[in-house]
Amino acid sequence: IIGSGSVGTLEPSYNYGSIVPITAIPDANMEFVEWLGTGIAQPAFAQTTVTMDADRNITARFKPRDFNVIINVDGKGSTTGSGLHPFGSTINISATPEFGYEFSHWEGVGPDSNTSANTTLTIQQEHALIAHFNQLPFNVTTNSGTGGSVSVVENAPPFYFDNNYTLFADPDFGYEFSH
């Protein structure tokens, strides 16, 4: 056996010409890869047969099962780490915000840190994560020259990146808005 698994019960010897069923049984989170040796009818199948027309030395090979990591984005940014990864492996995942945004947190099972944009994930199952990005807050300062006032119509500060806000210019009597 190569990897982690077992084979069905076999006798120590068989009659010449016998066709013997063989079965490979992977352990949890492992998968069968192939049989190695000669006389095996279908080396890629976990259940197959071997023809006993000579002494046989056969090996069942197993490998860690691959699990899918899916990373979705809430807000504006990009991530790395999505894809198929073998069970038990530790991968790096990262979240990079677009201009005007900041990384907030990871949502989902597995990241070693939910608040760090660059962290690791140990593959134990299928993983579905969300990288959350928040808009950066800004203050808007308005000034007017002689003869009027200006204000932001809606909401009190802070003002968030990538949102639209309406400015209101109110000229005093005898003045008009210029620019």
Side-chain angles (χ1 to χ4, degrees), residues 132-151:
H132 291 272
F133 299 96
N134 293 332
Q135 295 168 304
L136 289 172
F138 293 95
N139 288 316
V140 175
T141 303
T142 57
N143 293 308
S144 63
T146 304
S149 63
V150 65
S151 61

Side-chain angles (χ1 to χ4, degrees), residues 162-174:
D162 215 16
N163 285 2
N164 292 313
Y165 298 95
T166 302
L167 300 177
F168 180 71
D170 186 22
D172 289 340
F173 180 76

Side-chain angles (χ1 to χ4, degrees), residues 1 24 45 52 57 77 144 150 158 166 176:
I1 295 172
F45 291 7
M52 298 304 297
N57 183 8
S144 63
V150 65
T166 302
E176 66 180 19

Side-chain angles (χ1 to χ4, degrees), residues 10 14 28 38 51 61 68 77 93 95 97 118 121 169 176:
L10 296 171
Y14 292 91
T38 57
T51 303
R61 187 165 73 95
N68 201 15
I93 58 174
N118 298 301
L121 173 69
E176 66 180 19

Side-chain angles (χ1 to χ4, degrees), residues 73-139:
V73 171
D74 174 41
K76 290 189 178 179
S78 60
T79 62
T80 63
S82 292
L84 290 173
H85 303 281
F87 174 80
S89 64
T90 299
I91 64 166
N92 294 315
I93 58 174
S94 66
T96 304
E98 286 186 13
F99 180 79
Y101 288 78
E102 64 185 347
F103 174 76
S104 172
H105 65 282
W106 294 101
E107 182 181 335
V109 176
D112 289 338
S113 170
N114 285 336
T115 57
S116 176
N118 298 301
T119 189
T120 57
L121 173 69
T122 301
I123 307 302
Q124 299 293 322
Q125 61 191 27
E126 301 284 338
H127 291 273
L129 305 175
I130 301 172
H132 291 272
F133 299 96
N134 293 332
Q135 295 168 304
L136 289 172
F138 293 95
N139 288 316

Side-chain angles (χ1 to χ4, degrees), residues 29-94:
N29 298 310
M30 300 294 283
E31 61 186 30
F32 172 76
V33 176
E34 66 183 342
W35 289 101
L36 302 171
T38 57
I40 301 166
Q42 296 169 312
F45 291 7
Q47 293 182 326
T48 187
T49 59
V50 62
T51 303
M52 298 304 297
D53 54 6
D55 288 339
R56 300 289 185 209
N57 183 8
I58 59 173
T59 302
R61 187 165 73 95
F62 302 93
K63 71 171 188 156
R65 184 174 157 214
D66 287 336
F67 285 98
N68 201 15
V69 174
I70 298 170
I71 303 176
N72 292 307
V73 171
D74 174 41
K76 290 189 178 179
S78 60
T79 62
T80 63
S82 292
L84 290 173
H85 303 281
F87 174 80
S89 64
T90 299
I91 64 166
N92 294 315
I93 58 174
S94 66

